[in-house]
Every structure is written in structure tokens, then in C-alpha cells.
Amino acid sequence: ELSSPNIRPNILIAGCGTGNQVINANRYKNAQITAIDLSSSSLAYATRKTKEYGINNVTFKKMDLLNVSSFGHLFDLIECSGVLHHMEQPDKGLSALVQQLKPGGYIKIGLYSSIARKLIVDSRFKIQSLGLNITPTNIRDFRSQIINGEIIELLDLPKYSIDFYSLSGFRDLCFHVQEHRFTTDALEKLLNDQCLVFCGFMLPESVKKVYRKQFPEDTEMISLTNWGKFEEQNPSTFRSMYQFWAQKLPK
């Protein structure tokens, strides 16, 4: 529907960062895209990259997503990945976005999984127990201890993500000042509270194939209860994030 030549959908990317989501959103044909972020430097980089790619249907704006009502109009589709779980109150952030989503509209959300990030949680507890402040020196020293095998419980951390190998990536991975994590039960409550219908996770076909075999009755693969059971048995399924689509109930 969003690619119909007779429709010019309004799309919001909340927390666009350096522009990767914006460039990927170019798949929405004939769309008007609004991209917001709190970081001026990220917005400047995103603006430069979209120009390089010849993308000219994007408007960038420095804004807290809690203030999206100031646009004064509703969006057909919203993307918000990797942002809500760093807010003080993720539910309030989601509520602000849903209020600006048209009834029947879709929202793509990315949130951290409690199960998949157990190793990250362990690292954050270790950082806290050591009383480490967030400084480049402390970050590098802590990473070196892990690489040298000095922290037994974190030996597998270098395999967790490529972010381990850059200063900024490792800082965001383990030293971020605020991080909320979710379970499938928590996702279900979050969506129900906002009158959102779960439409499915974005996963490789190989994972979906295993799920179908285990839960053949869930033909649409939208049972969060079943996905919770699946994740317990396959804890690395959502290592990057829970990436999923939901729809706002029509009035």
C-alpha cells in the first residue's frame, strides 16, 4: 500500500542517528520522510550522507521524540529502533509516538531483550562493582582485562558483538548510562497498553523455519507466548534486538 503511486505516506523516523535508517527507508516509494534526533552531530552526518545518496525527500529536525506532537499532524508509519530502551520511561516514549500514528498505521520498534543481553547485564554489574566512571581510559582498561582473560565471567564478551572492538561501540554496549531490557511478556503488555497489535518479528528465514516446526499452529508467527518459549530455548535469537512491527488499532 505504501508504494502505491496514488499515496504519499508521511513517515517518521524517531531517533535517526547518523542516517542508516533514513537511507534504508528510501525503499518506501513516493514517501515524505521526517527524521528526528537529539544529536546535532548525528543529524549533520545523516544530512550529508543522504545528499550523497541523492535522497531528497527527507526533512531532518533536532527534537526529543517526546515532543513529536508539535508536528501537528499524524504519520502513516513510524520507525523507532534502538531508542526507547535508553529513555527513562520507554512506555512514555512509545505513547508519544503512537499518539502521532494514524489509526491503522504501522510502527517498527527495536528493543533490547533481557535474555539475549544476559552477558551485557553481567558486564554492567561488574562495571558497577568496580566503581568505574565512563572515561576513555576506564573503558579501554576494562576491555583489556576482558581480552586478557582477567574477568572469567566475561570471557565470551568479545564474541558478542563487533561493537566490542571500537571505543564508542564498547561504551554503548556496556557503559551506557541507561538501559532497559524486555521479555516477550513485557512486550505484550507494552503493546496492549498502547492498543497496538503485534504483527511479527523481523528475523532470518532460518530462524522462522525452526519456529514453524516447533509451533505449526501459529501460522502467522505472532504468538508472543510461543516466542517467549522459543527464546528460552534459543537465547541468542534476539541478540541484536527485538525488531518487530505493530499496528495501531483503527478507531
Side-chain angles (χ1 to χ4, degrees), residues 159-172:
K159 305 173 189 175
Y160 187 89
S161 170
I162 195 172
D163 290 338
F164 181 89
Y165 297 97
S166 71
L167 182 66
S168 60
F170 188 62
R171 181 190 62 218
D172 288 346

Side-chain angles (χ1 to χ4, degrees), residues 182-192 224-225 228 232 242:
F182 295 81
T183 62
T184 52
D185 286 343
L187 288 185
E188 192 159 27
K189 183 181 185 307
L190 187 70
L191 297 179
N192 287 342
L224 284 168
T225 299
E232 286 179 4
Y242 290 121

Side-chain angles (χ1 to χ4, degrees), residues 6-226:
N6 299 318
I7 297 175
R8 188 168 174 78
N10 279 310
I11 295 172
L12 173 66
I13 298 179
C16 65
T18 53
N20 187 53
Q21 289 181 74
V22 176
I23 293 169
N24 288 335
N26 198 41
R27 66 187 183 278
Y28 302 123
K29 303 305 179 184
N30 202 38
Q32 181 54 50
I33 300 170
T34 302
I36 64 172
D37 201 276
L38 277 174
S39 169
S40 297
S41 58
S42 292
L43 287 169
Y45 185 85
T47 301
R48 186 165 75 251
K49 296 307 289 185
T50 51
K51 286 180 179 177
E52 287 179 13
Y53 279 90
I55 300 171
N56 53 18
N57 62 334
V58 182
T59 300
F60 290 97
K61 188 174 180 63
K62 184 178 180 180
M63 178 187 287
D64 188 319
L65 67 79
L66 290 173
N67 299 326
V68 291
S69 61
S70 63
F71 283 117
H73 63 83
L74 302 181
F75 294 90
D76 299 284
L77 184 149
I78 296 175
E79 290 193 13
C80 186
S81 182
V83 178
L84 294 173
H85 51 224
H86 288 311
M87 297 182 69
E88 186 176 350
Q89 295 177 291
D91 56 333
K92 285 195 173 182
L94 180 59
S95 178
L97 294 176
V98 173
Q99 288 177 41
Q100 295 309 118
L101 182 62
K102 287 182 180 179
Y106 290 89
I107 181 167
K108 177 186 172 187
I109 304 169
L111 295 170
Y112 284 147
S113 158
S114 292
I115 292 176
R117 287 180 74 80
K118 182 185 180 303
L119 192 57
I120 303 303
V121 174
D122 291 344
S123 72
R124 291 171 70 86
F125 276 133
K126 187 66 176 180
I127 290 165
Q128 188 176 16
S129 69
L130 294 172
L132 299 180
N133 295 321
I134 306 174
T135 66
T137 298
N138 283 343
I139 293 171
R140 289 191 179 98
D141 288 347
F142 184 66
R143 187 173 57 179
S144 293
Q145 289 179 51
I146 294 170
I147 292 171
N148 295 333
E150 297 170 26
I151 306 177
I152 302 300
E153 63 269 35
L154 301 181
L155 288 178
D156 290 334
L157 192 59
K159 305 173 189 175
Y160 187 89
S161 170
I162 195 172
D163 290 338
F164 181 89
Y165 297 97
S166 71
L167 182 66
S168 60
F170 188 62
R171 181 190 62 218
D172 288 346
L173 189 67
C174 299
F175 281 81
H176 203 288
V177 293
Q178 188 161 252
E179 175 180 304
H180 297 273
R181 293 164 297 277
F182 295 81
T183 62
T184 52
D185 286 343
L187 288 185
E188 192 159 27
K189 183 181 185 307
L190 187 70
L191 297 179
N192 287 342
D193 288 347
Q194 299 300 329
C195 296
L196 292 171
V197 177
F198 179 68
C199 298
F201 288 117
M202 300 177 65
L203 287 165
E205 186 56 39
S206 57
V207 175
K208 293 180 180 179
K209 184 178 180 180
V210 177
Y211 179 89
R212 286 193 200 100
K213 187 175 181 179
Q214 187 171 347
F215 302 102
E217 73 285 355
D218 183 16
T219 56
E220 299 295 318
M221 295 189 288
I222 56 174
S223 169
L224 284 168
T225 299
N226 287 351

